[in-house]
Amino acid sequence: MKKQIVTLTAIAALSVGAATTASADSTYTVKSGDTLWGISQANNVSVSELKGWNDLSSDLIFPKQQLSIGEEKPKQEAAAEKSSYTVKSGDTLYRIAVNHGISLDQLMSWNGITGHLIYPGDKLVVSGGTAISVPKAPATSQTSAPAPAQSTAPAQSSAPAKAPQSGKEMTVSATAYTAFCTGCSGVTATGIDLRANPNQKVIAVDPTVIPLGSTVWVEGYGTAIAGDTGGAIKGNKIDVFIPSRDAALQWGRKNVTIKILE
């Protein structure tokens, strides 16, 4: 998202293979710039399925390599799958919408989704859906309990909470960026409008290291959504979103510990 040109390039890189999606029970010829994750998203399969079908022990693939991308399914089953989709690890609402030729707003409306978090195993309507109205939470009673006494203690620090006990841990180089800059669109690679949601904690990642859509705890920042990409964000690097330009500059570049929670 940092720059429109960079974002479009990053999205194109993730979408390699989508323009040449092969039918079921066929093979796919790897092209320069392809990744297992991008091929899996274009063909609605998981990376682990691709690796199993092709006896791959790592995520490395090479141009002109022939990959099996699935087994033929009964026609009735295939037709049913056209109208629904089961979320896989690493999926994002934006990528699911693009892969099924619908808008992000349509996907969210058909499934009654108000946020951007989805989980593996979720079933989503991706064709011919109807808008679902999401009821608002009832207002809490003002007389249900007496108002708490105001504390005379100092205000609590806004520092992020301590690190969670579980999650895949790694050390990364972290920089910061803002949506309010010349050439910035304000919309992330997964469709999050940061200008409309300046308090949203989002980080830009390399999807081959940290899957887009993951929830990630970042030392000194807090719990964020891996919802963006960037041309310079490769390998063990992240970019944390900070609304204020001055605060983003103060962050600078530092090595931090992160934990990928889901």
Side-chain angles (χ1 to χ4, degrees):
M1 187 284 299
K2 294 172 64 180
K3 294 182 179 179
Q4 287 180 315
I5 295 177
V6 169
T7 300
L8 292 173
T9 302
I11 294 174
L14 294 175
S15 303
V16 170
T20 54
T21 301
S23 61
D25 194 27
S26 63
T27 58
Y28 175 79
T29 302
V30 177
K31 297 175 176 57
S32 178
D34 274 352
T35 64
L36 282 180
W37 186 85
I39 296 171
S40 72
Q41 296 305 292
N43 293 280
N44 290 333
V45 297
S46 68
V47 171
S48 59
E49 285 175 327
L50 281 177
K51 293 171 74 173
W53 292 332
N54 295 279
D55 295 324
L56 299 177
S57 58
S58 72
D59 291 341
L60 290 177
I61 52 176
F62 306 94
K64 298 183 180 181
Q65 183 177 355
Q66 294 287 321
L67 295 180
S68 173
I69 59 172
E71 299 176 352
E72 188 170 2
K73 300 178 181 179
K75 291 184 179 180
Q76 291 182 341
E77 181 182 347
E81 288 184 353
K82 289 182 179 179
S83 61
S84 65
Y85 176 77
T86 302
V87 176
K88 299 178 178 62
S89 178
D91 278 347
T92 65
L93 288 174
Y94 174 81
R95 182 52 51 199
I96 293 171
V98 169
N99 287 345
H100 290 87
I102 58 178
S103 69
L104 180 60
D105 287 342
Q106 285 178 312
L107 181 62
M108 296 177 71
S109 175
W110 291 347
N111 293 278
I113 297 173
T114 57
H116 289 271
L117 289 179
I118 52 177
Y119 303 93
D122 287 352
K123 283 275 192 181
L124 299 179
V125 176
V126 294
S127 176
T130 55
I132 299 175
S133 60
V134 180
K136 296 182 178 180
T140 56
S141 173
Q142 296 297 319
T143 59
S144 59
Q150 292 188 357
S151 171
T152 57
Q156 293 293 322
S157 169
S158 60
K162 293 182 179 179
Q165 296 298 315
S166 61
K168 180 182 178 182
E169 183 175 317
M170 67 177 70
T171 299
V172 299
S173 174
T175 50
Y177 71 104
T178 177
F180 299 90
C181 58
T182 303
C184 296
S185 68
V187 180
T188 73
T190 58
I192 302 172
D193 189 340
L194 294 178
R195 293 188 178 184
N197 300 278
N199 295 321
Q200 176 75 62
K201 287 186 178 293
V202 175
I203 60 175
V205 300
D206 180 343
T208 64
V209 178
I210 302 173
L212 281 172
S214 300
T215 301
V216 183
W217 176 84
V218 180
E219 178 186 5
Y221 184 68
T223 302
I225 299 172
D228 207 354
T229 58
I233 308 303
K234 301 296 182 184
N236 283 27
K237 293 182 180 180
I238 65 171
D239 220 359
V240 302
F241 166 67
I242 297 178
S244 164
R245 180 178 181 275
D246 290 341
L249 291 173
Q250 288 176 7
W251 175 278
R253 181 186 297 274
K254 61 184 76 174
N255 289 332
V256 299
T257 299
I258 68 169
K259 285 190 176 183
I260 305 174
L261 306 180
E262 56 185 33

